[in-house]
């Protein structure tokens, strides 16, 4: 079906959770912005309002006192609010002051060489084959290996961490109650895993993230075990799937867009701008949820306290009022690009500096070694709604010789 | 000569400014903007203007 048909101006309803919308969201976004700047999604067992225009989304992100990000907005199997995402200002800033410096721009920059080696080791595993499921073999392991390394956790725990995040983000049992049960059980296992890892580091002198959390001070005191676990929970959910889905969308896009692919392969200096354009055009995290904390009116609609609101980041990012008449076109050399793929306002994604580094190095090395590739013939690319992973991404290319990593 | 005005309260650390004009802007440990050159020389003006225009929070403006 036409993804635009998922917006019904007569009933005021829209459904972003259809596979055809996730695969091709731009017609859906356009119809939302043009016809229903405040729409209703009858999902999740309760109504959720959708906001879709760039300025509206940006305004909502800047005002957590109206559109709160606290615990009520989303249930992902957690016992307590995730820190700092589900803590609103002013408390929120105390945690950001501690966590942001651990993955700030100057902190992640020295990781570049190691990251480049990791990317090349993964590439070595399949470049000689001429065919790969880029999702399973490249985009999934990469952010997880980086995370394990930064936390000082053993590489053998890769599958364990992937199971944690998949069971929480997409349990896909087909039954909402069973989904909730799986999330709860996985959440408990995730807490136990990190509790163990943190206890092992107590009194240690390592430089990994977990050891740093143990010695960091919030408001002049060290953090409680629970506070550290609530940060770890967010890192698993925020740090893995998002990079995976951005790389999925990027490789699938470039496999089908030889002109833009050649630009990047011929001139790696374009990659940073191309990363921003991938984030804008594909906005892998299509939407985020907020809870209304103060009554407010928008486009004649009255929001009441307790309403759930979906901020459609992908729609904001393709709004011609901000990005011009070519907003629905992909341009790896786009200059001014104020996309909201990392959100905005005080809750701006705290992993964005690490994410940008991972995305840049991954795309640089991939195109250095595999400049030319296409989607395998007959493959159907299935995008997950919400966070736009591609379930399987079979790519084909001319086999190249694996190179020893320096 | 152009003059850069920075609204510290509006900055949330998107980091576009120091990525696009690293000779004009830097990051503090939170990833928020630090203006290195309030009045950048002519050869850095174009990069500075692009960086200012790229701030998603309108934390940067240009006078003159």
């Amino acid at each position: 079906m036409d993804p635009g048909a998922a917006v019904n101006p007569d009933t005021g309803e829209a459904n972003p959770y259809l596979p055809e919308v996730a695969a091709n969201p731009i017609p859906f976004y356009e119809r939302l912005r043009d016809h229903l700047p405040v729409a209703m999604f009858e999902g999740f067992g309760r109504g959720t309002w959708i906001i879709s225009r760039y300025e509206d989304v940006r305004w909502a992100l800047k005002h957590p006192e109206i559109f709160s990000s606290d615990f009520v907005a989303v249930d992902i199997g957690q016992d307590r609010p995730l820190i700092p995402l589900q803590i609103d200002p002013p408390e929120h800033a105390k945690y950001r002051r501690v966590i942001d410096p651990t993955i700030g721009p100057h902190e992640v920059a020295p990781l570049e060489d190691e990251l480049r080696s990791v990317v090349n080791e993964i590439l070595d595993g399949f470049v000689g084959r001429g065919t790969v499921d880029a999702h399973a073999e490249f985009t999934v392991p990469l952010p997880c290996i980086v995370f394990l390394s930064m936390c000082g956790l053993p590489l053998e725990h890769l599958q364990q961490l992937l199971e944690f995040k998949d069971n929480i983000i997409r349990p896909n049992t087909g039954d909402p109650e069973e989904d909730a049960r799986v999330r709860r059980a996985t959440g408990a296992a995730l807490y136990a895993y990190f509790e163990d890892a943190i206890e092992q580091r107590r009194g240690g002198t390592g430089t990994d993230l977990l050891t740093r959390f143990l010695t960091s001070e919030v408001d002049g005191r060290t953090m409680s075990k629970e506070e550290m676990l609530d940060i770890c929970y967010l890192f698993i959910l925020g740090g893995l799937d998002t990079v995976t889905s951005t790389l999925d969308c990027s490789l699938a896009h470039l496999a089908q867009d030889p002109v833009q692919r050649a630009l990047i392969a011929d001139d790696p200096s374009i990659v940073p701008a191309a990363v921003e354009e991938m984030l804008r055009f594909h906005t892998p995290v299509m939407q985020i949820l907020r809870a209304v904390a103060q009554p407010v009116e928008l486009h004649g609609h009255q929001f009441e306290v307790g309403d759930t609101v979906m901020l459609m980041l992908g729609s904001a990012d393709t709004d011609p009022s901000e990005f011009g008449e070519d907003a629905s076109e992909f341009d790896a050399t786009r200059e001014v690009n104020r996309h909201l793929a990392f959100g905005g306002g005080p809750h701006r994604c705290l992993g964005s500096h690490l994410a940008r580094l991972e995305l840049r190095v991954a795309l640089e090395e991939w195109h250095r070694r595999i400049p030319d590739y296409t989607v395998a013939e007959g493959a159907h690319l299935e995008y997950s709604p919400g966070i736009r992973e591609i379930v399987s991404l079979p790519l084909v290319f001319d086999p190249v010789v694996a190179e020893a990593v320096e | 000569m152009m003059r850069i005005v920075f609204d510290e309260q509006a900055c949330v650390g998107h980091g576009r400014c120091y990525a696009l004009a690293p000779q004009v802007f830097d990051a503090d440990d939170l990833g928020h903007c630090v203006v290195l050159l309030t009045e950048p020389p002519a050869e850095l003006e174009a990069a500075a203007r692009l960086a200012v225009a790229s701030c998603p929070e309108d934390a940067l403006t240009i006078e003159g």
Side-chain angles (χ1 to χ4, degrees):
Chain A
M1 92 179 206
D2 167 14
V7 179
N8 186 338
D10 295 332
T11 62
E13 289 178 56
N15 184 359
Y17 272 85
L18 298 172
E20 48 270 51
V21 171
N24 180 19
I26 286 179
F28 171 80
Y29 294 151
E30 190 177 342
R31 213 162 132 85
L32 259 188
R33 287 189 309 265
D34 289 351
H35 298 282
L36 286 177
V38 178
M40 166 50 67
F41 168 50
E42 297 280 0
F44 303 150
R46 56 162 195 251
T48 299
W49 297 104
I50 302 175
I51 297 177
S52 53
R53 291 181 183 168
Y54 183 86
E55 278 307 328
D56 296 342
V57 170
R58 200 170 77 113
W59 165 74
L61 289 167
K62 274 178 189 274
H63 291 283
E65 75 285 4
I66 304 174
F67 296 97
S68 163
S69 178
D70 77 12
F71 201 32
V72 296
V74 61
D75 174 21
I76 37 177
Q78 76 279 48
D79 293 341
R80 298 172 299 273
L82 303 185
I83 295 176
L85 176 65
Q86 296 180 324
I87 308 277
D88 277 330
E91 269 310 277
H92 167 261
K94 297 177 189 169
Y95 292 108
R96 293 292 295 242
R97 212 173 298 290
V98 174
I99 304 166
D100 281 50
T102 65
I103 46 175
H106 292 310
E107 198 68 28
V108 300
L111 303 176
E112 178 164 343
D113 289 347
E114 185 193 334
L115 181 55
R116 206 171 288 279
S117 297
V118 170
V119 170
N120 276 299
E121 278 171 46
I122 300 174
L123 287 167
D124 275 336
F126 57 79
V127 288
R129 219 163 58 210
T131 169
V132 65
D133 178 350
H135 174 75
E137 293 190 57
F138 187 70
T139 73
V140 167
L142 177 61
C144 197
I145 292 169
V146 172
F147 178 79
L148 287 166
S149 165
M150 291 183 78
C151 290
L153 295 165
L155 205 52
E156 298 82 73
H157 291 184
L158 185 68
Q159 281 311 318
Q160 175 71 77
L161 288 200
L162 292 175
E163 269 173 43
F164 284 148
K165 67 108 180 151
D166 283 332
N167 284 339
I168 290 172
I169 295 175
R170 49 183 78 81
N172 290 348
T173 64
D175 169 16
E177 277 180 33
E178 181 61 11
D179 278 0
R181 201 197 60 74
V182 171
R183 285 199 174 99
R184 240 338 104 191
T186 310
L190 183 56
Y191 285 125
Y193 174 88
F194 278 106
E195 187 169 347
D196 189 43
I198 288 167
E199 285 312 316
Q200 282 175 19
R201 282 161 182 73
R202 212 173 274 282
T205 54
T207 55
D208 62 275
L209 281 179
L210 301 182
T211 306
R212 290 177 68 173
F213 291 159
L214 276 164
T215 54
S216 299
E217 291 196 350
V218 174
D219 260 356
R221 57 166 181 87
T222 54
M223 285 193 278
S224 69
K225 181 185 74 187
E226 286 75 17
E227 286 172 314
M228 289 185 272
L229 292 176
D230 299 339
I231 295 169
C232 292
Y233 208 109
L234 174 64
F235 274 30
I236 283 285
L237 294 190
L240 305 184
D241 239 48
T242 46
V243 173
T244 294
S245 54
T246 311
L247 286 173
D248 281 349
C249 290
S250 300
L251 292 172
H253 183 112
L254 294 170
Q256 299 170 84
D257 187 343
V259 174
Q260 297 284 325
R261 184 175 73 240
L263 281 179
I264 290 169
D266 293 347
D267 181 3
S269 75
I270 289 175
V271 173
V275 165
E276 299 307 316
E277 183 67 345
M278 286 296 175
L279 288 161
R280 181 193 77 83
F281 186 83
H282 288 288
T283 309
V285 180
M286 293 170 64
Q287 70 246 349
I288 53 177
L289 294 175
R290 293 291 187 261
V292 176
Q294 286 176 24
V296 70
E297 198 197 298
L298 179 67
H299 301 300
H301 175 84
Q302 182 66 41
F303 290 101
E304 303 297 344
V305 172
D307 285 353
T308 306
V309 177
M310 192 178 270
L311 308 181
M312 195 58 67
L313 302 177
S315 169
D317 283 348
T318 47
D319 188 337
S321 74
E322 168 64 22
F323 298 97
E325 285 313 305
D326 66 347
S328 296
E329 283 160 40
F330 181 90
D331 175 5
T333 62
R334 188 179 293 272
E335 284 205 314
V336 175
N337 189 347
R338 305 196 310 160
H339 68 74
L340 302 174
F342 290 118
H347 287 290
R348 188 267 313 161
C349 171
L350 68 84
S352 64
H353 307 292
L354 178 61
R356 283 185 163 116
L357 179 66
E358 290 184 42
L359 296 169
R360 173 170 65 78
V361 172
L363 292 178
E364 282 170 1
E365 293 306 306
W366 177 288
H367 291 93
R368 182 175 70 79
R369 302 189 60 185
I370 312 176
D372 210 7
Y373 53 97
T374 57
V375 176
E377 207 177 320
H380 165 72
L381 303 187
E382 183 190 337
Y383 290 72
S384 306
I387 301 180
R388 301 180 61 220
E389 274 197 358
I390 301 176
V391 177
S392 170
L393 179 55
L395 300 177
V396 291
F397 49 91
D398 287 337
V400 289
V401 179
E403 58 187 34
V405 179
E406 310 86 45
Chain B
M1 180 178 267
M2 72 183 279
R3 184 181 162 76
I4 295 168
V5 180
F6 173 48
D7 177 357
E8 199 179 340
Q9 294 303 313
C11 178
V12 299
H14 284 271
R16 304 308 299 134
C17 52
Y18 46 83
L20 292 164
Q23 290 166 290
V24 183
F25 304 97
D26 195 5
D28 66 12
D29 66 339
L30 290 173
H32 290 195
C33 170
V34 175
V35 182
L36 298 175
L37 300 172
T38 303
E39 296 180 354
E43 66 272 21
L44 295 176
E45 267 200 21
R49 282 185 195 280
L50 174 61
V52 167
S54 299
C55 177
E57 308 287 338
D58 295 325
L60 292 165
T61 44
I62 288 173
E63 277 178 2

